[in-house]
Amino acid sequence: MFEWSEEQQMIRDAVRQFVDKEIRPHVDELEHGDTPPYDILRKLFKTFGMDAMAKAGFEKTIAREKAGEKRPPREDGEGGGGMMMIPIIELCRVCPGMVTAMGVSMGLTASAIMSRGTTAQKERWAGELLTLEKVGAWAITEPDSGSDAFGSMKSTARRDGDEYLLNGSKTFITNGPYADTIVFICKLDEGNPPAERKVLSFVLDRGMPGLEQSPPLRKMGMHSSPTGQLFLNDVRVGRDRLIGETEEVPSGGREGAKDTFSMERSGVAAMSLGIIEECLELSVAYAKERVQFGQPIGQFQLIQDKLARMEVARLNVQNLVFRTIEMGAAGKGLSLAEASAMKLYSARAAMEVALEAVQLFGGNGYMSEFRVEQLARDAKVLQIYAGTDEIQITHIAKALLNA
């Protein structure tokens, strides 16, 4: 795949029209955190039938499981992968935070349940997450953990008869303030040292006794993506909320979290592409109309150098997105190292392009009236969440050295 097909371009144009009509006029409200993004995202899903497709696919999966059939490697083909990527790219041109909110809910949270949960658990929680009827949160990061998510994890589950008592706190949790369904990752405390404890995942519902969800936190960018904290004080759960209903591997523990990280990291490429495309388009238009020293600034070689480098970044990241779509169509997934390499390059490219766009706009680029300011703030977190640049480098290097 080296370019978007005619069908994919038609889908892209339709999504772009929706974004221009339904989202661009509300960017300020979303940016100030006054409007949670979920109703607009549900409207997007309904407009393009994405909710109906997700429901139909989910029901087919459940029917196969109940019949004891194995799920085929892939059915959606190249077009299906593009259909998922295109809305991500187009939303990120305008409001990247909406993609983070959507991706964590229907991507990370639902996938954690769909990949390792029982059929009953999938029916109970995943269907409504995949259609965005319910909002989901995937809770792994803690105040003292950061990149060392497992090693520094303090949240615990303790057996209490046939049930568990969950305790701990999580921070930087996307959708945390509004989540209806939460995948809570913790360690099983059997009185053994923390380093030897099993990692388990539980599914929680909003309003459970002992569960507190904070208001949205203030942050540098991605304001349209609500981020919060979770506090658990003796939250009592049954085994039916333990993903997979087993403490043994495979469950929703370390391997499940690593699979989720791979998916999240590969999605960053599509997000980066949207930011890069918008910054480049805005910069080209500004370079043509902004006059200094008696001519449009686009006539100056230093400005041309910036634009050329932005275009190189756009082509490279677009090719990474195309590769992801092709691999999906072939029934193949990215390894953790491959996903890390894709995230590392794409996130850095998005940040570099956004900062160059601010520089090209000069003083105007520093003003919120000119949208490159917002995109620069939003791009920065791509180098931090789903694993920092430094963590990506370690995954890539270890894969090379252990090959």
Side-chain angles (χ1 to χ4, degrees), residues 46-96:
K46 186 174 182 179
T47 299
F48 293 97
M50 295 162 69
D51 54 350
M53 286 190 292
K55 183 177 182 181
F58 173 75
E59 291 175 347
K60 186 182 291 187
T61 298
I62 295 300
R64 281 203 187 99
E65 287 191 11
K66 289 183 174 180
E69 300 175 12
K70 290 185 177 181
R71 186 178 183 183
R74 200 73 182 183
E75 285 190 334
D76 53 11
E78 190 174 292
M83 181 56 185
M84 291 307 299
M85 290 291 192
I86 288 168
I88 292 173
I89 295 166
E90 294 304 315
L91 283 170
C92 278
R93 290 172 64 107
V94 179
C95 210

Side-chain angles (χ1 to χ4, degrees), residues 344-360:
L344 176 68
Y345 179 84
S346 300
R348 283 184 171 179
M351 190 69 234
E352 289 169 5
V353 167
L355 288 178
E356 282 286 43
V358 171
Q359 191 71 21
L360 187 148

Side-chain angles (χ1 to χ4, degrees), residues 86-125:
I86 288 168
I88 292 173
I89 295 166
E90 294 304 315
L91 283 170
C92 278
R93 290 172 64 107
V94 179
C95 210
M98 296 187 73
V99 173
T100 301
M102 176 180 70
V104 168
S105 186
M106 62 173 290
L108 303 188
T109 312
S111 292
I113 300 170
M114 289 296 293
S115 63
R116 299 179 183 272
T118 65
T119 301
Q121 289 173 332
K122 294 173 188 179
E123 288 186 292
R124 183 175 177 182
W125 289 295

Side-chain angles (χ1 to χ4, degrees), residues 135-284:
V135 176
W138 190 70
I140 188 170
T141 304
E142 299 185 0
D144 296 323
S145 64
S147 296
D148 188 16
F150 296 120
S152 300
M153 186 176 289
K154 296 179 180 178
S155 294
T156 60
R158 287 187 294 104
R159 297 191 196 95
D160 187 36
D162 293 332
E163 298 179 317
Y164 297 88
L165 290 176
L166 308 183
N167 286 278
S169 62
K170 301 290 182 178
T171 192
F172 308 147
I173 305 304
T174 298
N175 297 330
Y178 302 106
D180 303 297
T181 305
I182 299 165
V183 171
F184 181 78
I185 302 170
C186 58
K187 287 187 174 182
L188 179 63
D189 183 358
E190 301 176 278
N192 52 337
E196 299 175 5
R197 294 173 183 174
K198 297 177 182 178
V199 176
L200 304 179
S201 296
F202 294 85
V203 184
L204 310 178
D205 292 318
R206 184 179 187 85
M208 292 181 68
L211 170 62
E212 180 185 348
Q213 298 169 241
S214 79
L217 302 172
R218 297 291 297 170
K219 53 189 179 180
M220 177 179 175
M222 293 285 187
H223 294 162
S224 56
S225 171
T227 302
Q229 296 173 291
L230 304 175
F231 304 96
L232 279 75
N233 182 22
D234 282 344
V235 176
R236 183 175 294 275
V237 297
R239 185 170 283 264
D240 60 317
R241 291 183 178 273
L242 171 63
I243 290 184
E245 295 191 17
T246 175
E247 296 176 358
E248 303 306 319
V249 176
S251 67
R254 294 175 191 266
E255 293 306 313
K258 288 179 180 178
D259 290 344
T260 304
F261 275 136
S262 292
M263 179 182 65
E264 185 179 18
R265 289 169 184 176
S266 61
V268 168
M271 296 184 69
S272 299
L273 181 57
I275 291 173
I276 291 168
E277 286 185 348
E278 185 77 359
C279 286
L280 177 58
E281 187 174 303
L282 292 170
S283 296
V284 168

